[in-house]
Amino acid sequence: MKTYELTVPCHFGLESVLKKEIYDLGYEISEVEDGRVTFIGDAEAICRANIFLRTTERVLLRVGKFKAETFDELFEGIKALPWEEYIPENGKFWVTKASSIKSKLFSPSDIQSIVKKAMVERLKQKYHTNWFEESGASYPVRIFLLKDEVMVALDTSGESLHKRGYRTLTSKAPITETLAAALIMLTPWNKDRILVDPFCGSGTFPIEAAMIAANIAPGMNRSFLAEQWTNLIPRQLWYDTVNEAQEMLDTDIKVDIQGYDIDEEIVRAARDNAKRAGVDGLIHFQQRPVSQLNHPKKYGFIISNPPYGERLEEKAALPELYRTIGEAYRRLDSWSMYLITSYENAPKDIGRKPDKNRKIYNGMLKTYFYQFMGPKPPKRKGTKE
């Protein structure tokens, strides 16, 4: 079967998590750049990457890469690519996004227009026609320019992969599903350990943790644009991949995952979201302030996205809030705590320097993933831990 270069974007700073996911799926990585990883895979890999990868925003099929400093070079470079190998005569194609960083060509609308014209010219020659109905499947194109190097790709996913399909109601400052999954996977948490999110909002951290624990593939209950690409991907491959995901499910597990929030309505929304995700039986949601955070067991994890105070009137309340977080954490003997926040004084107000601090861009917002490590639990007899 033909192999492709597949590029998968992720949040800046979380490339290592996505790399591990790709290796675990059994694919060979060819390139790692800021905010994206490229690997080699066949048509089945397109299905499996869309359905199984938890930390990428989409799966892009790379058509080509070349240098362009002028619009003429861009036109000729696009025209030289073998578009007929990807887009059938009745395919609908357009440039859905063009981005340019540190490049001489920087106008997205001009780049989009020239790329479309060059594609039309190439396909006119190959299909011996002057008119394309574009009545078939959709083949959206994405163009990335970095230091005058053009990467050209087809988007196989359609809607962003963070849209798992379970979240209809969200809280004021939601964290995306892909970022939540990546942050959980960055910690040593596993399904045998307690996890509490005291600012759970619409439930994203607890739900993603429960999906990881139950081995629920994040994309198994949604559709993808490339399902219509029967010229490249036999439809049976999608069915086979969903069957593979079904066989891996383990919803009979016993876990201790909890989510708290002070807003009763948001807690109700979180329960509804968990139900849609198929993990409502694995999570205990409760209306409770962070000041009441306690747990009798040791070696648990707090993983949370507390308020950042993005609005001016909320900023004044942050020192007191983070002091309360610190007090609650000190009561939890031997626990670990992981917080993502843009609030730079968090460690000072919490009253403890983090063991690790990772800078992560949440969209355009610079945030910090503060990591406060508790001790490892004692080894159980008979384990090789």
Side-chain angles (χ1 to χ4, degrees):
M1 197 177 268
K2 185 177 177 179
T3 59
Y4 304 100
E5 277 197 298
L6 302 172
T7 295
V8 283
C10 63
H11 285 84
F12 284 91
L14 293 171
E15 297 83 2
S16 61
V17 184
L18 181 52
K19 264 174 66 180
K20 184 178 184 309
E21 278 204 281
I22 293 163
Y23 280 133
D24 287 349
L25 278 182
Y27 299 112
E28 178 196 332
I29 289 170
S30 57
E31 193 175 11
V32 180
E33 304 159 275
D34 284 347
R36 65 186 185 213
V37 180
T38 299
F39 67 99
I40 310 299
D42 55 13
E44 184 187 53
I46 295 172
C47 307
R48 295 184 77 232
N50 272 297
I51 287 170
F52 286 112
L53 291 179
R54 297 181 190 279
T55 64
T56 185
E57 293 301 312
R58 57 187 69 250
V59 179
L60 303 171
L61 193 167
R62 191 183 284 194
V63 178
K65 210 171 185 181
F66 59 89
K67 202 166 177 67
E69 296 183 1
T70 67
F71 284 122
D72 282 346
E73 286 175 351
L74 177 66
F75 183 92
E76 293 304 327
I78 295 291
K79 194 180 164 190
L81 296 174
W83 291 105
E84 67 282 358
E85 291 178 16
Y86 302 95
I87 302 172
E89 191 171 345
N90 69 342
K92 182 183 178 186
F93 59 96
W94 72 100
V95 184
T96 182
K97 187 175 182 187
S99 63
S100 175
I101 299 169
K102 297 178 181 171
S103 298
K104 293 181 179 67
L105 305 177
F106 55 82
S107 162
S109 58
D110 288 341
I111 293 165
Q112 285 171 295
S113 171
I114 281 161
V115 169
K116 171 82 182 193
K117 281 177 189 164
M119 290 175 69
V120 168
E121 281 306 306
R122 169 81 184 203
L123 292 173
K124 271 162 69 173
Q125 288 173 9
K126 295 295 172 180
Y127 289 126
H128 309 292
T129 182
N130 284 317
W131 173 254
F132 294 100
E133 269 188 30
E134 299 198 42
S135 58
S138 295
Y139 296 80
V141 177
R142 288 181 172 246
I143 306 288
F144 304 90
L145 276 85
L146 176 63
K147 296 178 182 172
D148 301 318
E149 190 167 62
V150 186
M151 188 189 97
V152 187
L154 288 166
D155 177 12
T156 75
S157 303
E159 274 205 303
S160 173
L161 294 180
H162 78 262
K163 295 188 176 177
R164 319 280 207 221
Y166 66 72
R167 202 165 75 171
T168 56
L169 284 168
T170 59
S171 54
K172 211 164 36 181
I175 190 166
T176 65
E177 293 85 332
T178 45
L179 179 55
L183 294 177
I184 292 165
M185 291 161 80
L186 205 55
T187 78
W189 177 81
N190 65 61
K191 62 187 176 187
D192 299 324
R193 308 277 291 274
I194 304 148
L195 188 152
V196 177
D197 179 358
F199 300 94
C200 74
S202 52
T204 312
F205 269 129
I207 292 168
E208 289 296 320
M211 288 175 72
I212 291 167
N215 226 356
I216 297 172
M220 67 184 291
N221 293 316
R222 56 158 283 174
S223 59
F224 308 96
L225 195 141
E227 286 176 49
Q228 307 304 317
W229 297 2
T230 48
N231 60 317
L232 297 176
I233 307 168
R235 195 154 285 197
Q236 188 61 43
L237 286 181
W238 293 102
Y239 300 139
D240 291 346
T241 308
V242 171
N243 287 340
E244 182 189 352
Q246 292 278 8
E247 284 167 16
M248 291 167 66
L249 281 177
D250 181 12
T251 49
D252 295 329
I253 52 160
K254 294 280 180 279
V255 290
D256 189 345
I257 299 172
Q258 302 180 28
Y260 308 148
D261 203 279
I262 53 169
D263 187 329
E264 188 180 359
E265 200 177 317
I266 283 294
V267 171
R268 269 201 301 272
R271 285 196 189 107
D272 289 343
N273 290 343
K275 197 169 187 176
R276 270 187 295 276
V279 293
D280 49 321
L282 302 177
I283 307 169
H284 174 67
F285 286 109
Q286 193 178 348
Q287 184 188 5
R288 186 196 282 201
V290 67
S291 59
Q292 290 177 23
L293 175 58
N294 55 61
H295 202 291
K297 290 182 183 169
K298 291 187 167 193
Y299 308 110
F301 281 72
I302 295 168
I303 303 179
S304 196
N305 174 38
Y308 301 173
E310 288 308 297
R311 290 208 290 270
L312 218 57
E313 66 271 20
E314 292 169 347
K315 267 195 163 47
L318 289 184
E320 181 60 36
L321 175 68
Y322 281 79
R323 276 196 291 273
T324 307
I325 293 170
E327 286 161 13
Y329 178 49
R330 281 188 287 278
R331 290 195 300 269
L332 292 164
D333 182 32
S334 71
W335 279 47
S336 300
M337 180 166 72
Y338 297 80
L339 304 177
I340 180 169
T341 177
S342 64
Y343 179 49
E344 294 186 4
N345 281 340
K348 177 175 162 284
D349 293 333
I350 285 167
R352 176 177 159 178
K353 192 180 174 191
D355 299 286
K356 285 185 184 175
N357 174 16
R358 201 176 185 119
K359 197 185 292 178
I360 289 162
Y361 280 87
N362 185 3
M364 297 305 292
L365 184 68
K366 183 171 76 173
T367 62
Y368 304 93
F369 192 45
Y370 295 115
Q371 302 167 59
F372 303 88
M373 315 290 201
K376 285 183 181 177
K379 287 180 189 173
R380 291 183 195 162
K381 285 181 182 175
T383 64
K384 291 181 183 176
E385 214 183 318

